[in-house]
Amino acid sequence: QVQLVESGGGSVQTGGSLRLSCAASWYTAINYCMGWFRQAPGKEREGVATIYTGGGNTYYFDSVKGRFTISQDNAKKKVYLVMNSLKPDDTAIYYCVAEPSGGYCSTRFVDFSYRGQGTQVTVSS
């Protein structure tokens, strides 16, 4: 069982930055695909970014490319999401997800077995 705990959410103005953290209780002998998804009120859940713990390979969904950066600290068992140039459209609950992987990272939320409780990000204009 992998537990995920997000932190770092908050309220910022347009153009501001935030760093989200996800503390994971993963097994060091197993590699995982870790990721961030988000859901805004009245909208469908969408992907943000993924990272493979075995090699650091990353993937970004189009809406955040060039603005967000996902990274990992395997020693601390943490995954981070640095969000720059935030826009009101980035307002959502952000969820950390994890799935054991041999190298492939799905882009679908349903394919991740482990999910955190979420952290709220609010960007005001």
Side-chain angles (χ1 to χ4, degrees):
Q1 189 78 3
V2 175
Q3 293 185 329
L4 305 172
V5 180
E6 304 98 334
S7 61
S11 298
V12 296
Q13 293 188 327
T14 297
S17 299
L18 283 174
R19 188 181 80 158
L20 304 184
S21 298
C22 175
S25 62
W26 65 52
Y27 296 99
T28 55
I30 299 174
N31 289 314
Y32 294 84
C33 180
M34 304 290 296
W36 293 92
F37 284 75
R38 67 186 183 184
Q39 187 164 22
K43 295 185 178 180
E44 292 188 357
R45 187 180 292 111
E46 65 173 352
V48 177
T50 63
I51 187 167
Y52 175 57
T53 65
N57 310 67
T58 59
Y59 176 84
Y60 296 94
F61 289 75
D62 288 344
S63 60
V64 305
K65 280 182 180 177
R67 300 188 299 123
F68 291 11
T69 302
I70 189 171
S71 62
Q72 61 183 17
D73 185 333
N74 286 350
K76 294 182 179 179
K77 296 186 179 181
K78 285 191 173 182
V79 173
Y80 304 100
L81 184 70
V82 174
M83 306 183 292
N84 295 320
S85 302
L86 283 162
K87 310 172 184 178
D89 284 349
D90 295 317
T91 295
I93 297 175
Y94 284 69
Y95 298 91
C96 179
V97 297
E99 178 67 21
S101 173
Y104 169 74
C105 275
S106 173
T107 57
R108 304 191 315 159
F109 183 80
V110 295
D111 290 334
F112 290 86
S113 300
Y114 305 104
R115 305 158 185 177
Q117 293 298 308
T119 185
Q120 177 70 48
V121 171
T122 303
V123 184
S124 58
S125 58

